Coordinates of all heavy atoms in Angstrom, one line a residue:
E1 N 0.8 -1.2 0.0 CA 0.0 -0.1 0.0 C 0.8 1.3 0.1 O 0.5 2.2 -0.7 CB -0.9 0.0 1.2 CG -1.9 -1.0 1.2 CD -2.8 -1.1 2.5 OE1 -2.8 -0.1 3.3 OE2 -3.5 -2.1 2.7
V2 N 1.9 1.2 0.8 CA 2.8 2.4 0.9 C 3.4 2.7 -0.4 O 3.6 3.8 -0.9 CB 3.8 2.3 2.0 CG1 4.8 3.4 2.0 CG2 3.1 2.1 3.4
L3 N 3.9 1.6 -1.0 CA 4.6 1.7 -2.4 C 3.7 2.3 -3.4 O 4.0 3.3 -4.1 CB 5.2 0.4 -2.8 CG 6.4 -0.1 -1.9 CD1 6.8 -1.5 -2.5 CD2 7.5 0.8 -1.8
A4 N 2.5 1.8 -3.4 CA 1.5 2.2 -4.4 C 1.0 3.6 -4.2 O 0.8 4.5 -5.1 CB 0.3 1.3 -4.4
A5 N 0.9 4.0 -2.9 CA 0.5 5.4 -2.6 C 1.6 6.4 -3.0 O 1.2 7.6 -3.1 CB 0.2 5.5 -1.1
N6 N 2.8 6.0 -3.1 CA 3.9 6.9 -3.5 C 4.5 6.7 -4.8 O 5.7 6.9 -5.1 CB 5.0 6.9 -2.4 CG 4.5 7.3 -1.1 OD1 4.3 8.5 -0.9 ND2 4.2 6.5 -0.1
A7 N 3.6 6.2 -5.7 CA 4.1 5.8 -7.1 C 4.7 6.9 -7.8 O 5.5 6.6 -8.7 CB 2.9 5.2 -7.8
D8 N 4.5 8.1 -7.6 CA 5.0 9.3 -8.3 C 6.4 9.6 -7.8 O 7.1 10.5 -8.4 CB 4.1 10.5 -8.3 CG 2.8 10.2 -9.0 OD1 2.8 9.4 -9.9 OD2 1.8 10.8 -8.6
S9 N 6.8 9.1 -6.6 CA 8.1 9.4 -6.1 C 9.1 8.4 -6.5 O 8.8 7.3 -6.8 CB 8.0 9.4 -4.6 OG 7.0 10.2 -4.1
K10 N 10.4 8.8 -6.4 CA 11.5 7.9 -6.6 C 11.8 7.1 -5.4 O 12.1 7.7 -4.4 CB 12.8 8.6 -7.1 CG 13.9 7.7 -7.5 CD 13.5 6.8 -8.6 CE 14.7 5.9 -8.9 NZ 14.4 4.8 -9.8
I11 N 11.5 5.8 -5.4 CA 11.6 4.9 -4.3 C 12.6 3.9 -4.5 O 12.6 3.2 -5.6 CB 10.2 4.3 -3.9 CG1 9.2 5.5 -3.6 CG2 10.4 3.4 -2.7 CD1 7.8 4.9 -3.4
W12 N 13.5 3.5 -3.5 CA 14.3 2.4 -3.5 C 13.9 1.6 -2.3 O 13.8 2.2 -1.2 CB 15.8 2.8 -3.4 CG 16.5 2.9 -4.7 CD1 16.5 4.0 -5.5 CD2 17.2 1.9 -5.3 NE1 17.3 3.6 -6.6 CE2 17.7 2.3 -6.5 CE3 17.5 0.5 -4.9 CZ2 18.5 1.6 -7.3 CZ3 18.3 -0.2 -5.8 CH2 18.8 0.3 -6.9
V13 N 13.7 0.3 -2.4 CA 13.6 -0.6 -1.2 C 14.9 -1.2 -1.0 O 15.4 -1.9 -1.9 CB 12.4 -1.5 -1.4 CG1 12.3 -2.5 -0.3 CG2 11.1 -0.7 -1.6
V14 N 15.4 -1.2 0.2 CA 16.6 -1.9 0.6 C 16.3 -2.9 1.7 O 15.7 -2.6 2.7 CB 17.7 -0.9 1.1 CG1 19.0 -1.6 1.5 CG2 18.0 0.1 0.0
A15 N 16.7 -4.1 1.6 CA 16.6 -5.2 2.6 C 17.9 -5.9 2.8 O 18.4 -6.4 1.8 CB 15.4 -6.2 2.2
C16 N 18.4 -5.8 4.0 CA 19.7 -6.5 4.3 C 19.5 -7.7 5.2 O 18.8 -7.5 6.2 CB 20.6 -5.5 4.9 SG 22.3 -6.1 5.2
H17 N 20.0 -8.8 4.7 CA 19.8 -10.1 5.5 C 18.4 -10.4 5.7 O 18.0 -10.9 6.8 CB 20.6 -10.1 6.8 CG 22.1 -10.1 6.5 ND1 22.8 -11.3 6.6 CD2 23.0 -9.1 6.2 CE1 24.1 -11.1 6.2 NE2 24.2 -9.7 6.1
A18 N 17.6 -10.3 4.7 CA 16.2 -10.7 4.8 C 16.2 -12.2 4.4 O 16.8 -12.6 3.4 CB 15.3 -9.9 3.7
C19 N 15.4 -13.0 5.2 CA 15.4 -14.4 4.9 C 14.8 -14.7 3.5 O 14.2 -13.8 2.9 CB 14.5 -15.1 6.0 SG 12.7 -14.9 5.7
Q20 N 15.2 -15.8 3.0 CA 14.9 -16.2 1.6 C 13.4 -15.9 1.2 O 13.2 -15.2 0.1 CB 15.2 -17.7 1.3 CG 15.1 -18.1 -0.1 CD 16.4 -17.6 -0.8 OE1 17.4 -17.5 -0.3 NE2 16.1 -17.1 -2.1
F21 N 12.5 -16.3 2.0 CA 11.1 -16.1 1.6 C 10.7 -14.6 1.8 O 9.9 -14.1 0.9 CB 10.2 -17.0 2.4 CG 10.4 -18.4 2.2 CD1 11.0 -19.3 3.2 CD2 10.2 -19.0 1.0 CE1 11.2 -20.6 2.9 CE2 10.5 -20.3 0.7 CZ 11.0 -21.1 1.7
L22 N 11.2 -13.9 2.8 CA 10.9 -12.5 2.9 C 11.5 -11.7 1.8 O 10.9 -10.9 1.2 CB 11.5 -12.0 4.2 CG 11.3 -10.5 4.5 CD1 9.8 -10.0 4.4 CD2 11.9 -10.1 5.8
S23 N 12.7 -12.1 1.3 CA 13.4 -11.5 0.1 C 12.5 -11.6 -1.1 O 12.3 -10.6 -1.8 CB 14.7 -12.1 -0.1 OG 15.6 -11.9 0.9
K24 N 12.0 -12.8 -1.3 CA 11.1 -13.0 -2.5 C 9.8 -12.1 -2.4 O 9.3 -11.5 -3.4 CB 10.7 -14.5 -2.6 CG 9.9 -14.7 -3.9 CD 9.6 -16.2 -4.0 CE 8.7 -16.5 -5.2 NZ 7.5 -15.8 -5.3
D25 N 9.3 -12.0 -1.2 CA 8.0 -11.2 -1.0 C 8.3 -9.8 -1.2 O 7.6 -9.0 -1.8 CB 7.4 -11.4 0.5 CG 6.8 -12.8 0.7 OD1 6.6 -13.5 -0.4 OD2 6.5 -13.1 1.8
I26 N 9.5 -9.2 -0.7 CA 9.9 -7.9 -0.9 C 10.1 -7.6 -2.4 O 9.6 -6.6 -2.9 CB 11.2 -7.6 -0.1 CG1 10.9 -7.6 1.4 CG2 11.8 -6.2 -0.5 CD1 12.1 -7.6 2.2
I27 N 10.8 -8.5 -3.0 CA 11.0 -8.3 -4.5 C 9.7 -8.3 -5.3 O 9.4 -7.5 -6.2 CB 12.0 -9.3 -5.0 CG1 13.4 -9.1 -4.5 CG2 12.0 -9.4 -6.5 CD1 14.3 -10.2 -4.8
D28 N 8.8 -9.2 -4.9 CA 7.5 -9.3 -5.6 C 6.7 -8.0 -5.4 O 6.1 -7.5 -6.4 CB 6.7 -10.5 -5.2 CG 7.3 -11.8 -5.7 OD1 8.2 -11.7 -6.7 OD2 6.9 -12.9 -5.2
C29 N 6.7 -7.4 -4.2 CA 6.0 -6.2 -3.9 C 6.7 -5.1 -4.7 O 5.9 -4.2 -5.3 CB 6.1 -5.8 -2.5 SG 5.1 -6.8 -1.4
C30 N 8.0 -5.0 -4.9 CA 8.6 -4.1 -5.7 C 8.3 -4.2 -7.2 O 8.1 -3.2 -7.9 CB 10.2 -4.1 -5.5 SG 10.7 -3.6 -3.8
L31 N 8.2 -5.4 -7.7 CA 7.8 -5.6 -9.1 C 6.4 -5.1 -9.3 O 6.2 -4.4 -10.3 CB 7.9 -7.1 -9.4 CG 9.3 -7.7 -9.5 CD1 9.2 -9.2 -9.7 CD2 10.2 -7.0 -10.5
T32 N 5.5 -5.4 -8.4 CA 4.1 -5.0 -8.5 C 4.0 -3.4 -8.5 O 3.2 -2.9 -9.3 CB 3.3 -5.6 -7.4 OG1 3.3 -7.0 -7.5 CG2 1.8 -5.2 -7.5
A33 N 4.8 -2.8 -7.6 CA 4.7 -1.4 -7.5 C 5.7 -0.6 -8.5 O 5.7 0.6 -8.5 CB 5.0 -1.0 -6.1
N34 N 6.4 -1.4 -9.2 CA 7.4 -0.9 -10.2 C 8.5 0.0 -9.5 O 8.7 1.1 -9.9 CB 6.7 -0.1 -11.3 CG 7.5 0.0 -12.6 OD1 8.4 -0.9 -12.8 ND2 7.2 1.0 -13.4
V35 N 9.1 -0.6 -8.4 CA 10.0 0.2 -7.6 C 11.3 -0.6 -7.6 O 11.3 -1.8 -7.5 CB 9.4 0.2 -6.1 CG1 10.5 0.7 -5.1 CG2 8.1 1.0 -6.0
D36 N 12.4 0.2 -7.7 CA 13.7 -0.4 -7.6 C 14.1 -1.0 -6.3 O 13.5 -0.6 -5.3 CB 14.8 0.7 -8.0 CG 14.6 1.2 -9.3 OD1 14.0 0.6 -10.2 OD2 15.2 2.3 -9.6
F37 N 15.0 -2.0 -6.3 CA 15.3 -2.7 -5.0 C 16.7 -3.1 -4.9 O 17.4 -3.3 -6.0 CB 14.3 -3.8 -4.8 CG 14.4 -4.9 -5.8 CD1 15.4 -5.9 -5.8 CD2 13.5 -4.9 -6.9 CE1 15.4 -6.8 -6.8 CE2 13.6 -5.8 -7.9 CZ 14.6 -6.8 -7.8
A38 N 17.2 -3.2 -3.7 CA 18.5 -3.8 -3.4 C 18.2 -4.8 -2.2 O 17.8 -4.3 -1.1 CB 19.5 -2.8 -3.0
V39 N 18.3 -6.1 -2.5 CA 18.0 -7.1 -1.5 C 19.2 -8.0 -1.3 O 19.7 -8.5 -2.3 CB 16.7 -7.9 -1.9 CG1 16.4 -9.0 -1.0 CG2 15.6 -7.0 -2.0
C40 N 19.5 -8.2 0.0 CA 20.6 -9.1 0.3 C 19.9 -10.3 1.0 O 19.7 -10.2 2.3 CB 21.6 -8.4 1.3 SG 22.9 -9.4 1.8
P41 N 19.6 -11.4 0.3 CA 18.9 -12.5 1.0 C 19.8 -13.4 1.8 O 21.1 -13.4 1.6 CB 18.5 -13.3 -0.2 CG 19.3 -13.0 -1.3 CD 19.8 -11.6 -1.1
C42 N 19.3 -13.9 2.9 CA 20.1 -14.8 3.8 C 19.1 -16.0 4.1 O 18.0 -16.1 3.6 CB 20.5 -14.1 5.0 SG 19.3 -13.7 6.2
C43 N 19.7 -16.9 4.8 CA 18.9 -18.1 5.3 C 18.3 -18.9 4.2 O 17.1 -19.1 4.1 CB 17.9 -17.7 6.3 SG 18.4 -16.7 7.7
P44 N 19.2 -19.4 3.2 CA 18.7 -20.0 2.0 C 17.8 -21.2 2.4 O 18.2 -22.1 3.1 CB 19.9 -20.4 1.2 CG 21.0 -20.3 2.2 CD 20.6 -19.4 3.3
K45 N 16.6 -21.3 1.8 CA 15.7 -22.4 2.0 C 15.1 -22.7 0.7 O 14.7 -21.8 0.0 CB 14.7 -22.1 3.1 CG 15.3 -21.9 4.5 CD 14.2 -21.6 5.4 CE 14.7 -21.4 6.8 NZ 15.6 -20.3 7.0
D46 N 14.9 -23.9 0.4 CA 14.3 -24.4 -0.9 C 13.1 -25.3 -0.5 O 13.3 -26.5 -0.2 CB 15.3 -25.1 -1.8 CG 14.7 -25.6 -3.1 OD1 13.6 -25.1 -3.4 OD2 15.3 -26.4 -3.7
E47 N 12.0 -24.7 -0.4 CA 10.8 -25.5 0.1 C 10.5 -26.8 -0.7 O 10.2 -27.8 0.0 CB 9.5 -24.5 -0.1 CG 8.4 -24.8 0.9 CD 7.4 -23.7 0.8 OE1 6.6 -23.7 -0.1 OE2 7.3 -23.0 1.8
R48 N 10.7 -26.8 -2.0 CA 10.4 -28.0 -2.8 C 11.6 -28.9 -2.9 O 11.5 -30.0 -3.4 CB 9.9 -27.6 -4.1 CG 8.5 -26.9 -4.0 CD 7.9 -26.6 -5.3 NE 6.6 -26.0 -5.2 CZ 6.1 -25.1 -6.0 NH1 6.9 -24.7 -7.1 NH2 4.9 -24.6 -5.8
G49 N 12.8 -28.3 -2.7 CA 14.1 -29.1 -2.7 C 14.7 -29.3 -4.1 O 15.6 -29.9 -4.3
R50 N 14.1 -28.6 -5.1 CA 14.5 -28.8 -6.5 C 15.9 -28.1 -6.7 O 16.8 -28.7 -7.3 CB 13.6 -28.3 -7.5 CG 12.3 -29.1 -7.5 CD 11.2 -28.5 -8.5 NE 9.9 -29.2 -8.3 CZ 8.8 -28.7 -8.6 NH1 8.7 -27.4 -9.0 NH2 7.7 -29.3 -8.4
V51 N 15.9 -26.9 -6.2 CA 17.2 -26.1 -6.4 C 18.3 -26.8 -5.6 O 19.4 -26.9 -5.9 CB 17.0 -24.6 -6.1 CG1 18.3 -23.9 -6.2 CG2 16.0 -24.1 -7.1
Q52 N 17.9 -27.2 -4.4 CA 18.9 -27.8 -3.5 C 19.5 -29.1 -4.1 O 20.6 -29.3 -4.0 CB 18.2 -28.1 -2.1 CG 19.2 -28.7 -1.1 CD 18.5 -28.8 0.3 OE1 17.4 -28.4 0.5 NE2 19.3 -29.3 1.3
A53 N 18.6 -29.9 -4.7 CA 19.1 -31.2 -5.4 C 20.0 -30.8 -6.5 O 21.1 -31.4 -6.6 CB 18.0 -31.9 -5.8
A54 N 19.7 -29.8 -7.3 CA 20.6 -29.4 -8.4 C 21.9 -28.8 -7.8 O 23.0 -29.1 -8.4 CB 19.9 -28.3 -9.2
A55 N 21.8 -28.0 -6.8 CA 23.0 -27.4 -6.1 C 24.0 -28.5 -5.7 O 25.2 -28.5 -5.8 CB 22.7 -26.5 -5.0
Q56 N 23.4 -29.5 -5.0 CA 24.1 -30.7 -4.5 C 24.8 -31.4 -5.6 O 26.0 -31.8 -5.6 CB 23.3 -31.6 -3.6 CG 23.0 -31.1 -2.3 CD 21.9 -31.9 -1.6 OE1 21.3 -32.7 -2.1 NE2 21.9 -31.6 -0.3
A57 N 24.1 -31.7 -6.7 CA 24.6 -32.4 -7.9 C 25.7 -31.7 -8.5 O 26.6 -32.3 -9.1 CB 23.4 -32.7 -8.9
L58 N 25.6 -30.4 -8.6 CA 26.7 -29.5 -9.2 C 27.8 -29.1 -8.2 O 28.7 -28.3 -8.6 CB 26.0 -28.3 -9.8 CG 25.1 -28.6 -11.0 CD1 24.2 -27.3 -11.4 CD2 25.8 -29.1 -12.1
N59 N 27.6 -29.5 -6.9 CA 28.6 -29.0 -5.9 C 28.6 -27.5 -5.8 O 29.7 -26.9 -5.8 CB 29.9 -29.6 -6.1 CG 30.8 -29.6 -4.9 OD1 30.3 -29.6 -3.8 ND2 32.1 -29.6 -5.0
V60 N 27.4 -26.9 -5.8 CA 27.3 -25.4 -5.7 C 26.6 -25.1 -4.4 O 25.7 -25.8 -4.0 CB 26.5 -24.9 -6.8 CG1 26.3 -23.4 -6.8 CG2 27.2 -25.2 -8.2
D61 N 27.0 -24.0 -3.7 CA 26.4 -23.5 -2.5 C 24.9 -23.3 -2.8 O 24.5 -22.7 -3.8 CB 27.1 -22.3 -2.1 CG 26.4 -21.7 -0.8 OD1 26.6 -22.2 0.3 OD2 25.7 -20.6 -1.0
L62 N 24.0 -23.7 -1.8 CA 22.6 -23.5 -2.0 C 22.2 -22.0 -2.2 O 21.4 -21.6 -3.0 CB 21.8 -24.2 -0.9 CG 20.3 -23.9 -0.9 CD1 19.6 -24.5 -2.2 CD2 19.6 -24.5 0.3
G63 N 22.8 -21.2 -1.4 CA 22.5 -19.7 -1.4 C 22.9 -19.1 -2.7 O 22.1 -18.4 -3.3
V64 N 24.0 -19.6 -3.4 CA 24.4 -19.1 -4.7 C 23.4 -19.6 -5.7 O 22.9 -18.8 -6.6 CB 25.8 -19.6 -5.0 CG1 26.1 -19.4 -6.5 CG2 26.9 -18.9 -4.1
A65 N 23.0 -20.9 -5.6 CA 22.0 -21.4 -6.6 C 20.7 -20.8 -6.5 O 20.1 -20.5 -7.5 CB 21.9 -23.0 -6.3
L66 N 20.2 -20.4 -5.3 CA 18.9 -19.7 -5.1 C 19.0 -18.4 -5.7 O 18.0 -17.8 -6.3 CB 18.5 -19.8 -3.7 CG 18.0 -21.1 -3.2 CD1 17.9 -21.1 -1.7 CD2 16.7 -21.5 -3.8
V67 N 20.1 -17.6 -5.5 CA 20.2 -16.3 -6.0 C 20.2 -16.3 -7.6 O 19.6 -15.5 -8.2 CB 21.5 -15.6 -5.5 CG1 21.9 -14.4 -6.3 CG2 21.3 -15.2 -4.1
L68 N 21.0 -17.3 -8.2 CA 20.9 -17.4 -9.6 C 19.5 -17.7 -10.1 O 19.1 -17.2 -11.2 CB 22.0 -18.5 -10.1 CG 23.5 -18.1 -9.8 CD1 24.3 -19.3 -10.1 CD2 23.9 -16.9 -10.6
A69 N 18.9 -18.6 -9.5 CA 17.5 -18.9 -9.9 C 16.6 -17.7 -9.8 O 15.7 -17.5 -10.6 CB 16.9 -20.1 -9.0
E70 N 16.8 -16.9 -8.7 CA 15.9 -15.7 -8.6 C 16.3 -14.7 -9.7 O 15.4 -14.1 -10.2 CB 16.2 -15.1 -7.2 CG 15.3 -13.9 -6.9 CD 13.8 -14.1 -6.8 OE1 13.4 -15.2 -7.0 OE2 13.1 -13.2 -6.5
M71 N 17.5 -14.6 -10.1 CA 17.9 -13.7 -11.1 C 17.2 -14.1 -12.4 O 16.7 -13.3 -13.2 CB 19.4 -13.7 -11.3 CG 20.0 -12.9 -10.2 SD 21.9 -12.9 -10.4 CE 22.0 -11.7 -11.7
G72 N 17.1 -15.4 -12.6 CA 16.5 -15.9 -13.8 C 15.0 -15.6 -13.8 O 14.4 -15.2 -14.8
R73 N 14.4 -15.8 -12.6 CA 13.0 -15.5 -12.5 C 12.7 -14.0 -12.7 O 11.7 -13.6 -13.5 CB 12.5 -15.8 -11.1 CG 11.0 -15.6 -10.8 CD 10.6 -15.9 -9.3 NE 11.0 -14.9 -8.5 CZ 10.1 -14.0 -8.1 NH1 8.9 -13.8 -8.6 NH2 10.5 -13.0 -7.2
L74 N 13.5 -13.2 -12.2 CA 13.4 -11.7 -12.4 C 13.6 -11.3 -13.8 O 12.8 -10.4 -14.4 CB 14.3 -10.9 -11.5 CG 14.0 -11.1 -10.0 CD1 15.1 -10.5 -9.1 CD2 12.7 -10.5 -9.7
A75 N 14.6 -11.8 -14.5 CA 14.8 -11.5 -15.9 C 13.7 -11.9 -16.7 O 13.2 -11.1 -17.6 CB 16.2 -12.1 -16.3
G76 N 13.1 -13.0 -16.4 CA 11.9 -13.5 -17.1 C 10.7 -12.6 -16.9 O 9.8 -12.6 -17.8
A77 N 10.7 -11.9 -15.8 CA 9.5 -11.0 -15.6 C 9.8 -9.6 -16.2 O 9.0 -8.8 -15.9 CB 9.4 -10.9 -14.1
G78 N 10.8 -9.5 -16.9 CA 11.2 -8.1 -17.5 C 11.9 -7.2 -16.6 O 12.0 -6.0 -16.9
C79 N 12.5 -7.7 -15.5 CA 13.3 -6.9 -14.6 C 14.7 -6.8 -15.0 O 15.3 -7.9 -15.2 CB 13.0 -7.4 -13.2 SG 13.8 -6.5 -11.9
D80 N 15.3 -5.7 -15.0 CA 16.7 -5.6 -15.2 C 17.4 -5.9 -13.8 O 17.1 -5.1 -12.8 CB 17.1 -4.1 -15.6 CG 18.6 -4.0 -15.9 OD1 19.3 -4.9 -16.0 OD2 19.0 -2.8 -15.9
V81 N 18.1 -6.9 -13.7 CA 18.6 -7.4 -12.4 C 20.1 -7.6 -12.6 O 20.7 -8.0 -13.5 CB 17.9 -8.7 -11.9 CG1 18.1 -9.9 -13.0 CG2 18.4 -9.1 -10.6
K82 N 20.7 -7.2 -11.5 CA 22.3 -7.3 -11.4 C 22.6 -7.9 -10.1 O 21.9 -7.8 -9.1 CB 22.9 -5.9 -11.5 CG 22.6 -5.2 -12.9 CD 23.3 -3.9 -13.0 CE 22.9 -3.1 -14.1 NZ 22.9 -3.5 -15.4
L83 N 23.8 -8.5 -10.0 CA 24.3 -9.1 -8.7 C 25.6 -8.3 -8.4 O 26.4 -8.0 -9.2 CB 24.7 -10.6 -9.0 CG 25.3 -11.2 -7.8 CD1 24.4 -11.4 -6.6 CD2 25.9 -12.5 -8.2
R84 N 25.6 -7.9 -7.1 CA 26.8 -7.3 -6.5 C 27.1 -8.2 -5.2 O 26.2 -8.9 -4.7 CB 26.5 -5.8 -6.1 CG 26.3 -4.9 -7.3 CD 27.5 -4.8 -8.2 NE 27.3 -3.9 -9.3 CZ 26.9 -4.2 -10.4 NH1 26.8 -5.4 -10.8 NH2 26.8 -3.3 -11.4
T85 N 28.3 -8.1 -4.8 CA 28.7 -8.8 -3.6 C 29.4 -7.9 -2.6 O 30.0 -6.9 -3.0 CB 29.7 -10.0 -3.9 OG1 30.8 -9.5 -4.6 CG2 28.9 -11.0 -4.8
L86 N 29.3 -8.3 -1.4 CA 30.1 -7.6 -0.3 C 31.3 -8.5 0.0 O 31.3 -9.7 -0.3 CB 29.3 -7.6 1.0 CG 27.9 -6.8 1.0 CD1 27.1 -7.2 2.2 CD2 28.3 -5.4 0.9
P87 N 32.4 -8.0 0.6 CA 33.4 -8.9 1.0 C 32.9 -9.9 2.0 O 32.1 -9.6 2.9 CB 34.5 -7.9 1.7 CG 34.1 -6.6 1.1 CD 32.6 -6.6 0.9
T88 N 33.4 -11.1 2.0 CA 32.9 -12.2 2.9 C 33.2 -11.9 4.3 O 32.6 -12.5 5.2 CB 33.4 -13.5 2.4 OG1 34.8 -13.5 2.4 CG2 32.8 -14.0 1.1
D89 N 34.3 -11.1 4.6 CA 34.6 -10.7 6.0 C 33.6 -9.8 6.5 O 33.4 -9.7 7.8 CB 36.0 -10.2 6.1 CG 36.3 -9.0 5.4 OD1 35.6 -8.7 4.4 OD2 37.2 -8.3 5.7
V90 N 32.8 -9.1 5.7 CA 31.7 -8.2 6.1 C 30.5 -9.1 6.4 O 29.8 -9.0 7.4 CB 31.3 -7.2 5.1 CG1 30.1 -6.5 5.5 CG2 32.5 -6.3 4.9
S91 N 30.2 -10.1 5.5 CA 29.1 -11.1 5.8 C 29.3 -12.2 4.8 O 29.6 -12.1 3.6 CB 27.7 -10.4 5.4 OG 26.7 -11.3 5.5
P92 N 29.1 -13.5 5.4 CA 29.1 -14.6 4.6 C 27.9 -14.7 3.6 O 28.0 -15.3 2.5 CB 29.1 -15.8 5.5 CG 28.5 -15.2 6.7 CD 28.9 -13.8 6.8
M93 N 26.9 -14.0 3.9 CA 25.7 -13.9 3.0 C 25.9 -12.6 2.2 O 25.3 -11.6 2.6 CB 24.4 -13.9 3.9 CG 24.2 -15.1 4.6 SD 24.0 -16.5 3.5 CE 23.7 -17.9 4.7
N94 N 26.8 -12.6 1.3 CA 27.3 -11.4 0.7 C 26.7 -11.1 -0.7 O 27.2 -10.1 -1.3 CB 28.8 -11.5 0.6 CG 29.3 -12.6 -0.4 OD1 28.6 -13.5 -0.7 ND2 30.5 -12.4 -0.9
R95 N 25.6 -11.7 -1.0 CA 25.0 -11.5 -2.4 C 24.0 -10.4 -2.3 O 23.1 -10.5 -1.4 CB 24.5 -12.8 -2.9 CG 25.6 -13.8 -3.2 CD 25.1 -15.2 -3.3 NE 24.6 -15.8 -2.2 CZ 25.2 -16.4 -1.2 NH1 26.5 -16.6 -1.3 NH2 24.6 -17.0 -0.2
I96 N 24.0 -9.5 -3.2 CA 23.0 -8.4 -3.2 C 22.4 -8.4 -4.6 O 23.1 -8.3 -5.6 CB 23.7 -7.0 -3.0 CG1 24.4 -7.0 -1.7 CG2 22.5 -5.9 -2.9 CD1 25.3 -5.7 -1.4
L97 N 21.1 -8.5 -4.6 CA 20.3 -8.4 -5.9 C 19.8 -7.0 -6.1 O 19.1 -6.4 -5.2 CB 19.1 -9.4 -5.9 CG 19.4 -10.8 -6.0 CD1 18.2 -11.7 -5.7 CD2 20.0 -11.1 -7.3
L98 N 20.2 -6.4 -7.2 CA 19.7 -5.0 -7.5 C 18.8 -5.1 -8.7 O 19.0 -5.8 -9.7 CB 20.9 -4.1 -8.0 CG 22.1 -3.9 -7.0 CD1 23.2 -3.2 -7.6 CD2 21.5 -3.2 -5.7
G99 N 17.6 -4.6 -8.5 CA 16.6 -4.7 -9.5 C 15.9 -3.4 -10.0 O 15.7 -2.5 -9.2
H100 N 15.7 -3.3 -11.2 CA 15.0 -2.2 -11.8 C 13.8 -2.8 -12.6 O 14.0 -3.3 -13.8 CB 15.9 -1.4 -12.7 CG 15.3 -0.2 -13.3 ND1 15.0 0.9 -12.6 CD2 15.1 0.1 -14.6 CE1 14.5 1.8 -13.3 NE2 14.5 1.4 -14.6
P101 N 12.6 -2.8 -12.1 CA 11.5 -3.5 -12.7 C 11.2 -3.1 -14.2 O 10.8 -4.0 -15.0 CB 10.3 -3.2 -11.8 CG 10.9 -3.0 -10.5 CD 12.2 -2.2 -10.8
K102 N 11.2 -1.9 -14.5 CA 10.8 -1.5 -15.9 C 11.8 -2.0 -17.0 O 11.5 -2.2 -18.1 CB 10.7 0.0 -16.0 CG 9.4 0.5 -15.3 CD 9.2 1.9 -15.6 CE 7.8 2.3 -15.0 NZ 7.6 3.8 -15.2
A103 N 13.1 -2.2 -16.6 CA 14.2 -2.5 -17.5 C 14.3 -1.5 -18.7 O 14.7 -1.9 -19.8 CB 13.9 -3.9 -18.0
L104 N 13.8 -0.3 -18.5 CA 13.8 0.7 -19.6 C 15.2 1.4 -19.6 O 15.7 1.8 -20.6 CB 12.7 1.6 -19.5 CG 11.3 1.0 -19.7 CD1 10.2 2.1 -19.5 CD2 11.1 0.4 -21.1
T105 N 15.6 1.7 -18.3 CA 16.9 2.4 -18.2 C 17.7 1.7 -17.1 O 17.2 1.1 -16.2 CB 16.7 3.8 -17.8 OG1 16.0 3.9 -16.5 CG2 16.0 4.6 -18.8
A106 N 19.0 1.8 -17.3 CA 19.9 1.2 -16.2 C 20.2 2.3 -15.2 O 21.0 3.2 -15.5 CB 21.1 0.7 -16.9
S107 N 19.5 2.3 -14.1 CA 19.7 3.3 -13.1 C 20.8 3.0 -12.1 O 21.0 3.7 -11.2 CB 18.4 3.6 -12.5 OG 17.9 2.6 -11.7
F108 N 21.4 1.8 -12.2 CA 22.4 1.5 -11.3 C 23.6 0.8 -11.9 O 23.6 0.3 -13.0 CB 21.9 0.6 -10.2 CG 21.0 -0.5 -10.6 CD1 21.5 -1.7 -10.9 CD2 19.6 -0.3 -10.8 CE1 20.7 -2.7 -11.3 CE2 18.8 -1.3 -11.2 CZ 19.4 -2.5 -11.5

């Protein structure tokens, strides 16, 4: 509601160490409201186990696999999405998804 009520303003939503499901909810709200975001997901969880099985088969960290899967989902939804990282000594959950829903201009 808050995002929709301020649709004429330039808004960025930032979430640091938001759990996997909260991260997805935040991103989905931003997509719906056409708002840019920077989300640093943590606590990787795969409810259905599909990504986890693939990550294990490929010997890839589950958190990395989930971020890559989310980037694919966002790109498929027409969102310009980029990945940035923090130094691991700052946080082991160092992946940051930057999204621009309209994908019309690269604002970051």
Side-chain angles (χ1 to χ4, degrees):
E1 292 175 16
V2 172
L3 295 177
N6 293 289
D8 295 334
S9 303
K10 182 64 181 164
I11 300 172
W12 263 87
V13 172
V14 177
C16 187
H17 287 264
C19 74
Q20 189 72 38
F21 298 112
L22 178 58
S23 293
K24 185 179 179 306
D25 288 347
I26 291 168
I27 290 170
D28 287 346
C29 286
C30 290
L31 291 175
T32 299
N34 206 20
V35 171
D36 294 344
F37 59 86
V39 175
C40 179
C42 72
C43 309
K45 292 178 183 64
D46 180 18
E47 205 169 75
R48 295 183 179 146
R50 294 177 187 155
V51 176
Q52 185 170 357
Q56 288 173 343
L58 296 170
N59 198 28
V60 175
D61 176 75
L62 175 60
V64 170
L66 287 168
V67 164
L68 292 173
E70 183 66 357
M71 289 181 74
R73 181 181 82 91
L74 293 170
C79 182
D80 182 15
V81 61
K82 298 179 191 307
L83 175 69
R84 297 293 184 262
T85 59
L86 299 167
T88 54
D89 59 337
V90 172
S91 173
M93 299 297 179
N94 66 337
R95 296 165 291 273
I96 305 168
L97 290 171
L98 301 172
H100 182 67
K102 285 189 177 179
L104 296 176
T105 58
S107 62
F108 46 92

